[in-house]
């Protein structure tokens, strides 16, 4: 049973959530990716002031650790690690894909279906995985180049929910399929609360000094000539 500060900046929508004993107390959301570095600390300060929480009262800090936007992930992880150092709190890392799946389960709670979170990785590539409703891993997290045959094994005999900001281009490529359902989804820090609480109970913490985001593929930047 813990009081946890949850931070998510894995996409263009960033958010901070304060949770107690696995329940959401409040979430603040920013939809301007270029402002994540500035707004996250302000959100944290606002949440803690409104709920009269001091750093000493926090039990842990959880962060959505990827995959996702390179810039966004760096901002979130750097913020979380900095607070862990300053406040001497344990760091909890949450898979963004599992976080997404837990969030969509509140909308499409089909115990027999599969769940495929999809984050845009540019061009025809997505960060994805496939989970059961119990978050058992069917397809390991990966950077997947979409083809018409992608997810064929999962779609053969199971209903699959596709969601996330990478699902639109897959829907256009695949077209209609009897076993495919596409759902709207917005990533929020509130969706990581249950996962963070379980990690805290198990004592699953990261090494603050050496932890880095789960990028899934190398970072490449282009430079102007």
């Amino acid at each position: 049973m813990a009081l946890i500060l949850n931070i998510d900046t894995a996409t263009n929508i960033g958010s901070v959530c304060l949770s107690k004993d696995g329940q959401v107390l409040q979430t603040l959301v920013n939809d301007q990716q270029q402002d994540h570095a500035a707004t996250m600390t302000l959100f944290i300060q606002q949440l803690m002031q409104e709920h009269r929480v001091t750093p000493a009262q926090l039990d842990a800090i959880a962060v959505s650790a990827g995959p996702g936007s390179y810039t966004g992930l760096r901002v979130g992880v750097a913020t979380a690690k900095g607070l862990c150092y300053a406040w001497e709190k344990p760091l909890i890392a949450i898979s963004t894909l599992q976080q997404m799946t837990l969030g969509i389960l509140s909308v499409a709670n089909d115990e027999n279906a599969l769940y495929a979170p999809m984050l845009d990785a540019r061009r025809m590539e997505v960060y994805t995985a496939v989970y059961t409703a119990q978050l058992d891993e069917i397809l390991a997290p990966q950077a997947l180049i979409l083809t018409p045959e992608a997810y064929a094994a999962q779609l053969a005999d199971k209903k699959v929910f596709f969601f996330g900001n990478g699902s639109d281009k897959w829907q256009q490529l695949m077209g209609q399929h009897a076993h495919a359902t596409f759902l709207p989804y917005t990533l929020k820090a509130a969706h990581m609360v249950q996962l963070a609480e379980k990690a805290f109970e198990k004592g699953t913490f990261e090494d603050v000094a050496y932890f880095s985001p789960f990028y899934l593929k190398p970072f490449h930047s282009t430079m102007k000539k």
Side-chain angles (χ1 to χ4, degrees):
M1 309 296 279
L3 183 63
I4 300 176
L5 180 66
N6 305 271
I7 302 170
D8 173 69
T9 56
T11 65
N12 62 315
I13 298 176
S15 57
V16 175
C17 173
L18 191 63
S19 64
K20 184 176 182 180
D21 303 337
Q23 300 297 317
V24 175
L25 296 181
Q26 187 180 355
T27 304
L28 296 177
V29 179
N30 169 54
D31 60 3
Q32 302 297 321
Q33 185 172 17
Q34 63 268 30
D35 294 333
H36 283 351
T39 56
M40 290 303 102
T41 53
L42 295 176
F43 282 174
I44 292 167
Q45 183 181 38
Q46 180 180 338
L47 279 179
M48 294 182 68
Q49 286 178 346
E50 290 185 3
H51 292 271
R52 298 181 181 180
V53 172
T54 66
Q57 292 174 309
L58 287 175
D59 292 298
I61 296 171
V63 64
S64 183
S69 158
Y70 288 109
T71 301
L73 291 174
R74 287 197 298 271
V75 169
V77 170
T79 301
K81 290 175 67 171
L83 294 177
C84 287
Y85 271 123
W87 295 344
E88 298 182 341
K89 302 298 176 182
L91 176 66
I92 297 172
I94 301 298
S95 161
T96 306
L97 297 174
Q98 287 190 353
Q99 174 186 346
M100 293 172 65
T101 303
L102 192 61
I104 206 69
L105 280 169
S106 63
V107 179
N109 193 8
D110 186 336
E111 293 291 323
N112 298 315
L114 298 178
Y115 296 83
M118 306 179 77
L119 287 169
D120 188 13
R122 298 185 180 182
R123 298 187 176 90
M124 291 306 294
E125 192 170 16
V126 294
Y127 300 121
T128 189
V130 177
Y131 301 99
T132 67
Q134 295 74 37
L135 291 185
D136 295 326
E137 188 178 283
I138 302 300
L139 181 68
Q142 58 189 270
L144 177 68
I145 298 176
L146 294 172
T147 67
E149 294 77 31
Y151 304 100
Q154 292 76 36
L155 285 165
D157 57 2
K158 286 277 190 178
K159 182 177 183 179
V160 182
F161 289 104
F162 296 97
F163 54 99
N165 63 12
S167 62
D168 287 347
K169 57 188 178 185
W170 168 233
Q171 186 175 18
Q172 294 174 11
L173 176 65
M174 183 188 66
Q176 297 293 322
H177 193 292
H179 291 167
T181 299
F182 290 82
L183 295 175
Y185 174 76
T186 301
L187 184 64
K188 293 181 181 178
H191 299 157
M192 64 197 294
V193 166
Q194 293 182 34
L195 294 170
E197 182 71 18
K198 289 181 180 179
F200 182 84
E201 291 174 356
K202 293 179 180 180
T204 307
F205 304 128
E206 304 297 330
D207 188 317
V208 177
Y210 296 103
F211 178 74
S212 61
F214 306 138
Y215 291 123
L216 277 189
K217 66 177 185 177
F219 173 67
H220 298 286
S221 62
T222 56
M223 299 182 64
K224 295 182 179 179
K225 294 182 180 180

